[in-house]
Every structure is written in structure tokens, then in C-alpha cells.
Amino acid sequence: MTYSTGTPLKAVAGRLALDFVNTADWTPFGTILKDRIASLADLSAWAVQMGLAQARWDGSLEALRDFRAGVRQAILGQSSLDLSVHLSPPDAPMALWLRRQPLRDLVAASTLSILSDPRELERVKLCPGHDCGWLFLDETKNARRKWCLMEVCGNRAKSSRHYARTVSLAENLRG
């Protein structure tokens, strides 16, 4: 499954709120380099990927972007955010009931879950990959996961280090 730009949909963060934030690539300063949600159709594709095909977004694309930035800032401890949640009482099996809730409320509930558990919050990490800025929950036993995706950011970092060593070695041999 892909966004309208052809970029594959990836859920790598470990929590709904984090994967929601990761629908954009962020700079370390919190500005967006690439927004994968270019339309409400992209949001629908993402919701399907997350198993929330019937969840709805009640608002504009701009409101979604503002909410997403607020969720990111709240998780990183940079600001507070109104995370009031208005979930209707269950009237169906839990999996079906969850899918019919407003997407904003599901993301807000996921964010509250992260923020209310200090052990979980301390395992939320910011990928150090070049121009990545994705958040992920490090669920490894020793809390040593470094990259959002080893196949992408981790490999890029390793390739950069290898290139730098190769160039340095070549310069040392010449000079």
C-alpha cells in the first residue's frame, strides 16, 4: 500500500500516535521536510494500513497537520496539547468499535497512553537519521534501538561512515 506519491506506507513506531506523527519527515527543529498526507485520500490509505479503515477525520487537512504537530510536540515535551477524548461507549465487539471512532480521538487516546506511562515515555526515541525525525518506541530488552528503520536510516548512517573512512584513508595514503 502506498500514499498518492507512491511512497510506501510504513508503520514502524509501535504506537498509533507515533505512527500518526511519522506521516511526515521532520527536521530536528520540528519543521516538516516531506508530508506524506497530501490529501484526505492519503489519510484514508494510512488509516486502512493501521487497521482503522472506518475511522473518520472530522476536519480539514490543515487541522490534521496542526494536530499532528501538537501530538509530536507533546510527546517530545515541547508543549502541552488538549487531548480531550470523546469516545462513544462500546456497542459492538472492541475491534469493530475502535474502527468506528473519530481518528483524532484514537490518536489522542494513544498519545495519552504514552504520556501517562513514564516507562513508556522514556522509551520513545527520535530517530537520528539525516532528515528523518521519526519517533518510535524502543521495545528492545536493553533499550538500545537507535533507528526508526535499520534498513533505511541505519544503513544510510553506516554507508556515510564507511564513505568517510574510505575518503580519509585515501587522503592519508596520498598525503
Side-chain angles (χ1 to χ4, degrees), residues 14-151:
R15 296 294 180 270
L16 179 66
L18 301 177
D19 280 318
F20 178 71
V21 168
N22 293 346
T23 59
D25 292 339
W26 303 82
T27 67
F29 310 106
T31 56
I32 294 177
L33 292 170
K34 181 178 181 182
D35 193 339
R36 288 171 169 70
I37 305 292
S39 67
L40 291 177
D42 285 334
L43 179 63
S44 293
W46 178 82
V48 167
Q49 176 72 17
M50 299 305 295
L52 302 169
Q54 295 173 336
R56 62 193 187 286
W57 178 260
D58 298 328
S60 67
L61 204 52
E62 190 60 35
L64 176 133
R65 290 178 176 140
D66 290 343
F67 179 64
R68 179 180 58 193
V71 167
R72 184 177 189 274
Q73 291 171 347
I75 290 170
L76 292 175
Q78 298 170 341
S79 73
S80 60
L81 176 68
D82 174 20
L83 290 170
S84 53
V85 178
H86 307 285
L87 299 175
S88 60
D91 62 349
M94 186 59 76
L96 179 61
W97 173 80
L98 275 173
R99 291 184 191 118
R100 292 191 315 221
Q101 300 305 309
L103 188 55
R104 184 213 177 275
D105 290 342
L106 293 172
V107 171
S110 175
T111 305
L112 283 170
S113 175
I114 293 166
L115 294 174
S116 64
D117 184 346
R119 292 169 297 159
E120 187 160 305
L121 185 58
E122 92 178 15
R123 285 193 171 236
V124 172
K125 293 186 178 177
L126 179 63
C127 182
H130 179 70
D131 290 340
C132 178
W134 277 14
L135 299 175
F136 62 92
L137 187 67
D138 181 355
E139 296 183 282
T140 61
K141 186 176 180 179
N142 59 4
R144 293 187 62 174
R145 181 176 165 191
K146 186 172 184 175
W147 311 102
C148 64
L149 282 172
M150 186 61 197
E151 302 83 25

